[in-house]
Amino acid sequence: MASGPELLRADDTSDGGSPSCPTAPHSDGSCPIAPHSDGSCPIAPHSDGSCPIAPHSDGSCPTAPPGARLSIAILCYINLLNYMDRFTVAGVLPEVEDFFSIGDSSSGLLQSVFIGSYMVLAPLCGYWGDRRSRKRLLSLGLALWAAATMAGSFVPPQGFWALLLARAVVGAGEAAFSTVAPTLVADLSPPGPPRSRALGGFYLAVPLGRGKGQGGGD
């Protein structure tokens, strides 16, 4: 049975010949992706020496599309708001209990329905994201999240059940965003260190958003 190409270290010359740049080189022959400190290319070529990243039809190096940095910055900012929204409820929980005249067991349902909705729908959103338009799924998730968050702000004291419903819809919206957005960030970034930095900035929003959300609520 034939197997797929084996990925080797970029500086491994066994069976693969001398390491070559995995993308179209610059006019001076240099690699367009910053090499490691030992001079090796940061992306390993296939065992047959072929490039693991397909160059453009004209042989040029794949780079980020126009406007990619702005799109990545927007996705990172939305992820920051995502985690701020998720943990703000914990910061204002005593006020929520007083407003709705509920106890700890009822207020705990706010996080339970959110996590339940998120847990059930996140795998489905990942499945749909592989087979449908990720941009549309992302937009739908953001629309649900924003609408449910705004609607939850107008729930009257006697309508605690409506707030629970709003939190469940927020979980659905965040499930769509959290499963699709990282793949878009990766696709918008050139391979190598730029992609690592973009994803690092995206996930840096997790602790920052949590701290700002809970701290702001307090």
Side-chain angles (χ1 to χ4, degrees):
M1 179 184 297
S3 59
E6 178 186 0
L7 287 177
L8 304 176
R9 288 172 45 206
D11 55 349
D12 190 346
T13 58
S14 61
D15 298 328
S18 59
S20 59
C21 183
T23 58
H26 293 156
S27 56
D28 59 359
S30 62
C31 181
I33 300 177
H36 292 157
S37 57
D38 60 359
S40 60
C41 196
I43 300 180
H46 292 159
S47 57
D48 60 359
S50 61
C51 176
I53 303 176
H56 294 158
S57 57
D58 59 0
S60 61
C61 177
T63 57
R69 290 186 178 181
L70 177 60
S71 299
I72 292 172
I74 292 174
L75 289 173
C76 290
Y77 180 67
I78 293 175
N79 200 37
L80 178 67
L81 296 179
N82 176 5
Y83 281 89
M84 287 176 62
D85 171 73
R86 187 178 301 188
F87 288 96
T88 295
V89 174
V92 297
L93 201 56
E95 289 81 0
V96 172
E97 291 178 347
D98 292 341
F99 183 80
F100 290 101
S101 300
I102 57 176
D104 292 340
S105 59
S106 296
S107 62
L109 290 175
L110 290 172
Q111 192 68 3
S112 297
V113 297
F114 170 85
I115 292 298
S117 173
Y118 186 95
M119 180 180 64
V120 170
L121 292 175
L124 296 177
C125 290
Y127 178 84
W128 292 329
D130 284 340
R131 292 159 178 79
R132 299 289 187 270
S133 170
R134 290 178 296 171
K135 293 180 181 179
R136 292 181 180 177
L137 181 59
L138 180 72
S139 300
L140 176 61
L142 290 177
L144 287 174
W145 169 30
T149 300
M150 180 173 292
S153 303
F154 298 97
V155 174
Q158 65 274 19
F160 180 67
W161 63 270
L163 183 61
L164 291 177
L165 178 60
R167 290 302 293 173
V169 176
V170 169
E174 290 193 15
F177 176 82
S178 297
T179 53
V180 173
T183 66
L184 293 176
V185 171
D187 287 350
L188 289 168
S189 310
R195 181 172 294 171
S196 298
R197 286 193 293 269
L199 288 172
F202 181 82
Y203 285 111
L204 181 62
V206 175
L208 291 180
R210 177 173 184 171
K212 286 183 174 292
Q214 192 162 355
D218 292 337

